[in-house]
Amino acid sequence: MIDDINKFDDDIKRIADHYGKDSQLSILQEECAELIQAVSKYKRAQNYPDFDGYWPFMNLMEEIADVEIMLEQIKYFLNCPNVLAEYKRKKISRQLARIECEEDENGKESD
């Protein structure tokens, strides 16, 4: 398992180094746009119960993978794991606080 993770990291770095930061930032933009489109198609497919949602689901999975791969490359270029971890921690804490407020408000309304 650890060997697989190390190989994945090495492969990400090799791809990133080959194409360069500016190119990969542009590709990240494109992949994010494709992910937005895949989310829209997936949501639209959910509105049609008779429609086979397999393709929209698989397309969504593919676009998520593409964006995650590009993000890994950009994180490698920026070399900022501590900054990123701190932003994630703050954003998660803030959202959990919002949820608690919503739950408190909903609890008060049902009394």
Side-chain angles (χ1 to χ4, degrees):
M1 177 86 172
I2 290 180
D3 288 339
D4 290 342
I5 293 170
N6 289 336
K7 174 143 178 39
F8 176 78
D9 288 345
D10 290 344
D11 292 346
I12 289 291
K13 291 173 185 176
R14 181 169 182 220
I15 293 166
D17 288 337
H18 179 80
Y19 291 106
K21 182 168 73 171
D22 192 54
S23 172
Q24 296 310 77
L25 282 167
S26 294
I27 299 299
L28 174 60
Q29 287 177 296
E30 293 173 19
E31 294 298 348
C32 285
E34 291 175 12
L35 178 58
I36 291 167
Q37 186 178 31
V39 169
S40 295
K41 289 179 179 179
Y42 178 77
K43 286 176 66 175
R44 192 175 323 124
Q46 302 303 300
N47 293 328
Y48 300 99
D50 295 336
F51 178 74
D52 177 17
Y54 180 75
W55 183 85
F57 172 80
M58 294 306 293
N59 185 50
L60 180 59
M61 294 300 103
E62 180 179 0
E63 297 307 333
I64 289 171
D66 287 344
V67 169
E68 286 185 353
I69 289 167
M70 297 311 300
L71 286 172
E72 290 299 320
Q73 292 178 60
I74 301 309
K75 291 189 308 189
Y76 162 67
F77 283 129
L78 299 178
N79 191 24
C80 56
N82 294 336
V83 173
L84 190 57
E86 182 63 17
Y87 271 112
K88 286 180 178 181
R89 187 192 62 72
K90 285 179 182 178
K91 289 183 175 285
I92 289 169
S93 294
R94 183 177 64 203
Q95 193 60 40
L96 289 173
R98 288 176 181 154
I99 290 171
E100 286 181 26
C101 286
E102 289 174 13
E103 290 173 346
D104 288 346
E105 288 175 8
N106 289 338
K108 289 177 185 175
E109 292 173 6
S110 63
D111 287 342

